[in-house]
Amino acid sequence: MPHIIIEHSEHLPILPQVLVERVHKAAIATDLFDPTTVKTRAPSYQHYALAQNIEGFIHIQAHIMEGRSTEQKQKLSEALLNCIATYCDTSYSLSVHVYDLLPEIYRKQ
């Protein structure tokens, strides 16, 4: 755990695989997770509508097990946002949201 999902517009100023690797490393560098449990993926979108003068977007969803403090969630979201901001200028919409997974209903095999 966690599941890091990098939703993004099809055209990026960085190769998608490189983006996945950098975001993956940024999540691990927070020291909030066992590095062997971090999973990162990046689906791209061809069809989307954005504000005027915005060329593309990256939105990261970080799904983590419930129980982390607000400060820990902020540390993660800031680390991930800082990571993607390194590769994009102001013509890209960048956002991160941390979601709690409830152990009572989350299942994996």
Side-chain angles (χ1 to χ4, degrees), residues 75-103:
K75 179 180 180 178
L76 176 61
S77 63
E78 289 171 10
L80 298 179
L81 185 62
N82 289 338
C83 176
I84 59 178
T86 302
Y87 307 103
C88 299
D89 61 25
T90 57
S91 67
Y92 279 78
S93 175
L94 307 177
S95 57
V96 176
H97 190 92
V98 177
Y99 296 88
D100 283 327
L101 292 172
L102 304 175

Side-chain angles (χ1 to χ4, degrees), residues 5-12 14-17 19-20 41-48 56-59 61 92:
I5 303 165
I6 310 164
E7 298 178 310
H8 63 86
S9 52
E10 191 171 49
H11 303 289
L12 292 174
I14 181 173
L15 292 172
Q17 184 56 43
L19 178 65
V20 167
R41 55 192 176 271
S44 68
Y45 292 85
Q46 294 177 337
H47 308 287
Y48 51 88
F57 73 92
I58 300 174
H59 173 70
Q61 299 179 39
Y92 279 78

